[in-house]
Amino acid sequence: MAEQNIPFHDLAKWATKAPEGEGLISTAFGDKVQKDLEFVDNTPGVPKPDPILVADTVTRKFGGVTAVDVQHFEIERHGITALIGPNGAGKTTFFNLMTGFDTPNSGTWQFDGHPLSSVSPEKVARMGMVRTFQLTKVMSRLTVLDNMLLGAPVQPGEGMLTSLFPVRWRKYEKQNIEKAESLLERFLLIKKKDDFAGSLSGGQRKLLEMARALMRDPQLVMLDEPMAGVNPALKQSLLDCIMSLREDGTTVLFVEHDMNMVRHIADWVTVMAEGKIVAEGQPKSVMNDQAVVDAYLGARANIDLGDIDNLEEIAPSAGTQAEGAEL
């Protein structure tokens, strides 16, 4: 019972993969989501018990190419949903449409019951739906801490008149700095707070962008390939951070190609290919769907290359293919 009192941002005591016979540190949010999704059909476009984002007949065409053709899409509130699929499936374009960075040819979508058609990206963020980018967007010539402060929602000192009266904004500035430093510590960037953001590695920029997004205390965080370019030593910490978001009451939708990450942390998996939702379900169900594995994840997605027997199994077939190529 003592473990239940451990704060979720205490990464050293969090476990994304529980030891044999033990469960993860959990709270009502994680348990409720798993219980609610347990009896949801594993079919594309299936309704969820408590959706926070709903999209209908959303299409986006570029010339004669249809990049997105989503008939119905929902994500469960407080859950961690993975959006997977091959490169070019339309996942990032779909993110852009949902957050106002691109305009669809048709369709409607709602966030927490509020229509988002024709809503600008900044207003979408103010409503509580924020995103990160596949290619990170940081201000290279500002310090890491200053980048964080850009994401703070309450900054009265930015007004020309108010800025002349420090008594009106100093309290908020102090609160924003304290919150930014807390998030930087959570994402293992506190030692870099006074460094220019341009000096960070690609993986550290990913962490900074995610931490900055949380400055707004969003209801929904959309992460576009959060693991891309992240040092393997930091991946476990990033997994812990994403799982802790759910236990703080935040809904997470993320695009990812790392299937181990998807298996470990996702409550629900949606598969996208050629712009369409082709499969949905709990991770185990989707990963075991042979059609999905062969078509979208690769026929050998579940093979452990560290297993000598598997390597011996693969080697002969590789040799046969090579011989066939020579012929």
Side-chain angles (χ1 to χ4, degrees):
M1 295 297 293
E3 287 187 346
Q4 300 299 323
N5 296 322
I6 296 175
F8 292 101
H9 57 266
D10 191 348
L11 303 183
K13 297 178 181 178
W14 180 273
T16 56
K17 188 172 183 181
E20 189 69 26
E22 298 183 20
L24 300 178
I25 300 172
S26 181
T27 65
F29 282 129
D31 294 339
K32 182 179 183 299
V33 169
Q34 292 182 11
K35 184 177 180 180
D36 286 347
L37 294 177
E38 184 178 359
F39 301 103
V40 175
D41 292 335
N42 294 335
T43 56
V46 63
K48 308 300 187 303
D50 185 16
I52 189 172
L53 179 66
V54 179
D56 288 295
T57 61
V58 175
T59 63
R60 180 66 170 103
K61 298 180 180 180
F62 296 94
V65 178
T66 301
V68 173
D69 184 8
V70 173
Q71 294 304 305
H72 189 74
F73 174 79
E74 296 184 5
I75 61 173
E76 179 72 2
R77 190 185 306 271
H78 302 313
I80 300 177
T81 301
L83 182 62
I84 67 173
N87 288 328
K91 303 182 297 296
T92 296
T93 301
F94 185 65
F95 265 36
N96 292 339
L97 296 174
M98 295 296 98
T99 52
F101 286 89
D102 195 3
T103 304
N105 295 96
S106 65
T108 59
W109 63 103
Q110 298 179 345
F111 168 68
D112 201 21
H114 301 287
L116 291 184
S117 301
S118 303
V119 178
S120 63
E122 59 271 21
K123 289 184 179 179
V124 172
R126 292 193 191 105
M127 292 172 67
M129 186 167 77
V130 300
R131 66 165 297 183
T132 64
F133 294 84
Q134 191 173 354
L135 300 176
T136 55
K137 312 288 185 182
V138 298
M139 304 297 176
S140 299
R141 296 189 179 184
L142 293 181
T143 67
V144 170
L145 181 60
D146 286 339
N147 267 269
M148 290 291 293
L149 295 177
L150 289 175
V154 181
Q155 303 193 57
E158 290 184 344
M160 182 176 295
L161 182 60
T162 309
S163 65
L164 301 176
F165 303 94
V167 68
R168 294 188 178 182
W169 53 262
R170 270 195 186 134
K171 178 181 70 173
Y172 299 99
E173 185 79 2
K174 181 180 178 181
Q175 291 174 348
N176 289 336
I177 291 175
E178 289 176 350
K179 183 176 183 179
E181 290 179 342
S182 175
L183 285 168
L184 288 174
E185 186 171 1
R186 180 175 180 177
F187 284 83
L188 307 181
L189 290 174
I190 190 63
K191 293 182 179 179
K192 299 282 188 178
K193 71 173 186 176
D194 295 322
D195 295 351
F196 288 115
S199 69
L200 299 180
S201 67
Q204 289 173 328
R205 293 187 185 194
K206 287 273 187 180
L207 296 174
L208 173 59
E209 191 172 54
M210 190 184 303
R212 184 177 61 192
L214 297 182
M215 286 291 291
R216 299 198 66 88
D217 294 321
Q219 292 178 263
L220 171 61
V221 176
M222 302 171 66
L223 309 174
D224 197 349
E225 296 194 27
M227 288 296 183
V230 176
N231 187 309
L234 294 176
K235 283 190 175 183
Q236 185 63 47
S237 296
L238 185 53
L239 286 174
D240 297 333
C241 288
I242 294 174
M243 289 193 70
S244 70
L245 289 178
R246 177 183 60 190
E247 306 312 334
D248 289 337
T250 306
T251 306
V252 179
L253 173 65
F254 70 96
V255 170
E256 189 51 60
H257 292 291
D258 186 337
M259 291 303 103
N260 285 326
M261 173 184 175
V262 173
R263 288 187 185 97
H264 288 164
I265 73 172
D267 298 306
W268 192 261
V269 177
T270 300
V271 184
M272 197 171 186
E274 298 180 354
K276 299 180 180 180
I277 304 298
V278 297
E280 279 194 67
Q282 297 182 3
K284 185 177 180 180
S285 172
V286 172
M287 301 302 179
N288 290 336
D289 187 328
Q290 194 58 45
V292 172
V293 171
D294 291 344
Y296 310 114
L297 306 181
R300 303 189 185 277
N302 292 317
I303 287 182
D304 182 1
L305 297 182
D307 189 322
I308 295 178
D309 293 336
N310 287 335
L311 289 176
E312 291 177 350
E313 176 188 341
I314 294 172
S317 62
T320 303
Q321 291 175 359
E323 292 173 4
E326 292 176 357
L327 294 174

